[in-house]
Amino acid sequence: MKIIRDIDTKRLAVKLKPSAEKMVKRGHPWIFEDSIIKQNIDGEPGDLVIIYDHKKNNFIACGLYDPFSPIRIKLIQFGKSAQINEEWFVSKIKEAYHIRKPLLETDTNSYRLLFGENDHMPGFIADVYDNVLVIKLYSHIWFPYLNWMVTHLIAITSCTVVVLRLSRLLQSKGEVYGVSDGKVVYGTLENEVVIFREHGVLFSANVIKGHKTGYFLDHRHNRKRVGELAHMKTVLDVFSYAGGFSVHALHGGAKEVISLDISKHALQMATENAELNNFKGKHTIMVADAFEGLQDLINKGLQFDIVVIDPPSFAKRESEIAKAKKGYSRLAKLGAQLVSPNGILVLASCSSRVIADEFFMISEESILETGRSFEILEKTYHDIDHPITFPEGAYLKCGYYRVQ
Ligand code: SAH
């Protein structure tokens, strides 16, 4: 398949500072530009880089060259040298598919097939929504391999449509070979809003204009869990976006669900997603800033059997970590005050810079500060289609607390 013209690549030889070399030997996939001490020739996006041991001169890893990123080399193969050819890409796609197989045996036809670095494909995301494959590229390194990738991703998923999404960085720098964000590169997309199933619950995603690839697949397991807990319950879903938790709760038989988000458009999607399913409960939307909205609900004396708080990433940069922790603490305190006696507070974080143990500690101390005690019901991390193979890959954590 030819999505873009063929692009030739070169082979580079590189040696690293000892500290960086140590990380690579441990399987870390990133090499920053200032870690390179020797490089034989200039590189272009996607050129194959072989990393040699600075003393013994033997192969330690290979990766792809990215002149547009401070992470100059993104590693794809460690320890043992391999021919990086079409078969190599096929084998990695098959490995990734194999990991997701148990999920595909459930009533689910939406999944992340490739999760970047964690599937040996740095900066390459492939999400499937029913028959539509959405590829999101975060790096120029993929253009030389895109024709192969699309061909084999179609073969393994049986998707009939492929949409290409490009990160902002990709759109702002360098050649993109005639493609653009949201381009349908294979098949015909009848409707940019694609309907799909997640554990038997229907959702829709705008695969052309939606955030990332159109939907957040990562919380699938937690949404199912909230759905199971929600029978005959009242539920508050804070930072609801397109209603992931809300719709599972309604489907699970919740009496009443409030979806709260600052974005009217997100809440419109939540309403539409709910309507794709059969449910008897009442669904209300609340357009508000979460911190203000939660305080208003507290002031009104309201309480809910289940409160879910799943904010966006608060710490995209190192400098934002302290503020992020304060944000999590405030949310846990607000949430704890809104849970009815013996109700459940579900607190999630998707900031990779705030590690799981720290997030749970902040959440738990903050609940206690409101004068309420709790029992930990469950702590969850990534669903199986978001495997983790390096520390920075881990971002999602979610605690379930029964609040007395
Ligand atoms: N829980 C969702 C995903 C949340 S994404 C799911 O399961 O799919 C984060 C959401 O937070 C976005 O919809 C965004 O509009 C919303 N948001 C960001 N800042 C906010 C704020 N201050 N108050 C309320 N919502 C906010």
Side-chain angles (χ1 to χ4, degrees):
M1 184 161 317
K2 232 183 198 149
I3 308 276
I4 57 173
R5 68 170 165 81
D6 290 333
I7 303 163
D8 289 333
T9 56
K10 299 186 297 293
R11 226 168 217 264
L12 277 66
V14 159
K15 285 189 178 178
L16 306 175
K17 283 185 187 163
S19 55
E21 193 177 283
K22 221 188 221 166
M23 296 286 281
V24 171
K25 284 182 178 167
R26 276 196 236 134
H28 200 285
W30 293 344
I31 295 174
F32 287 87
E33 55 186 322
D34 58 4
S35 302
I36 299 173
I37 49 173
K38 238 185 185 176
Q39 175 175 330
N40 64 340
I41 47 171
D42 276 347
E44 312 245 16
D47 280 349
L48 189 66
V49 189
I50 319 287
I51 314 293
Y52 293 96
D53 187 295
H54 78 287
K55 276 197 198 132
K56 295 186 217 139
N57 221 20
N58 56 336
F59 173 98
I60 52 174
C62 72
L64 304 175
Y65 193 82
D66 188 349
F68 300 117
S69 166
I71 303 175
R72 191 53 42 91
I73 303 166
K74 279 136 183 160
L75 297 173
I76 56 174
Q77 168 81 25
F78 298 88
K80 225 168 82 205
S81 72
Q83 288 281 354
I84 306 301
N85 52 18
E86 193 165 354
E87 283 72 50
W88 185 91
F89 286 97
V90 173
S91 75
K92 294 297 149 194
I93 292 172
K94 282 191 176 154
E95 272 171 34
Y97 190 76
H98 183 75
I99 293 172
R100 278 88 177 155
K101 266 226 157 125
L103 177 64
L104 302 180
E105 280 152 20
T106 69
D107 191 7
T108 299
N109 64 2
S110 47
Y111 59 102
R112 174 154 293 184
L113 175 53
L114 293 179
F115 182 29
E117 281 79 346
N118 299 290
D119 286 300
H120 305 282
M121 303 278 181
F124 194 113
I125 298 293
D127 285 348
V128 173
Y129 301 104
D130 189 14
N131 66 326
V132 181
L133 172 73
V134 186
I135 292 173
K136 177 132 189 188
L137 299 182
Y138 288 89
S139 164
H140 289 83
I141 59 178
W142 288 104
F143 288 118
Y145 311 100
L146 195 59
N147 292 332
W148 287 346
M149 290 296 287
V150 173
T151 305
H152 298 294
L153 286 170
I154 291 171
I156 205 154
T157 60
S158 308
C159 281
T160 54
V161 183
V162 180
V163 175
L164 190 63
R165 302 289 306 266
L166 303 179
S167 72
R168 227 172 282 158
L169 175 93
L170 224 65
Q171 295 176 54
S172 69
K173 272 187 191 164
E175 158 77 292
V176 292
Y177 304 94
V179 291
S180 53
D181 182 46
K183 184 165 177 181
V184 178
V185 294
Y186 174 76
T188 311
L189 186 66
E190 311 260 319
N191 187 339
E192 63 185 42
V193 178
V194 179
I195 294 173
F196 58 90
R197 287 190 321 280
E198 179 177 275
H199 290 305
V201 182
L202 293 174
F203 282 96
S204 61
N206 188 317
V207 294
I208 305 286
K209 298 193 198 93
H211 286 300
K212 312 252 167 140
T213 64
Y215 183 74
F216 298 109
L217 292 163
D218 51 6
H219 263 306
R220 181 192 305 103
H221 168 79
N222 291 315
R223 295 182 185 126
K224 174 171 174 269
R225 194 78 196 96
V226 166
E228 289 161 356
L229 294 166
H231 188 67
M232 297 303 288
K233 300 284 200 273
T234 55
V235 179
L236 174 64
D237 176 11
V238 188
F239 302 98
S240 66
Y241 185 54
F245 286 99
S246 301
V247 181
H248 272 275
L250 289 164
H251 183 261
K255 254 191 320 209
E256 187 179 353
V257 176
I258 298 180
S259 306
L260 188 160
D261 201 284
I262 203 162
S263 155
K264 222 176 175 173
H265 177 68
L267 290 169
Q268 177 65 31
M269 289 196 282
T271 306
E272 287 167 12
N273 282 331
E275 281 165 6
L276 294 171
N277 297 275
N278 290 322
F279 63 91
K280 291 205 187 76
K282 184 174 160 210
H283 184 209
T284 312
I285 56 170
M286 183 172 162
V287 187
D289 166 72
F291 296 92
E292 290 170 14
L294 292 177
Q295 192 57 56
D296 283 348
L297 294 172
I298 294 169
N299 296 346
K300 285 188 187 138
L302 290 174
Q303 287 198 319
F304 303 83
D305 299 319
I306 302 175
V307 177
V308 180
I309 306 184
D310 174 36
S313 175
F314 284 159
K316 295 224 169 81
R317 269 173 285 267
E318 185 85 27
S319 58
E320 293 168 340
I321 295 177
K323 201 169 152 228
K325 290 181 183 169
K326 277 198 194 123
Y328 290 131
S329 170
R330 278 179 69 199
L331 287 173
K333 282 185 209 161
L334 291 164
Q337 296 172 72
L338 284 164
V339 181
S340 44
N342 261 324
I344 298 173
L345 178 60
V346 182
L347 298 173
S349 158
C350 63
S351 304
S352 63
R353 289 171 192 276
V354 178
I355 59 166
D357 284 351
E358 235 173 325
F359 171 69
F360 289 135
M361 197 183 74
I362 293 166
S363 300
E364 289 159 21
E365 285 177 358
S366 305
I367 300 172
L368 292 175
E369 274 179 45
T370 64
R372 300 195 66 179
S373 60
F374 63 85
E375 176 199 342
I376 300 169
L377 297 179
E378 202 176 337
K379 286 178 179 173
T380 67
Y381 303 88
H382 287 242
D383 206 346
I384 63 167
D385 58 338
H386 290 66
I388 301 306
T389 58
F390 72 118
E392 290 85 345
Y395 65 93
L396 198 66
K397 50 267 179 196
C398 185
Y400 293 67
Y401 301 97
R402 185 174 296 285
V403 182
Q404 265 84 46

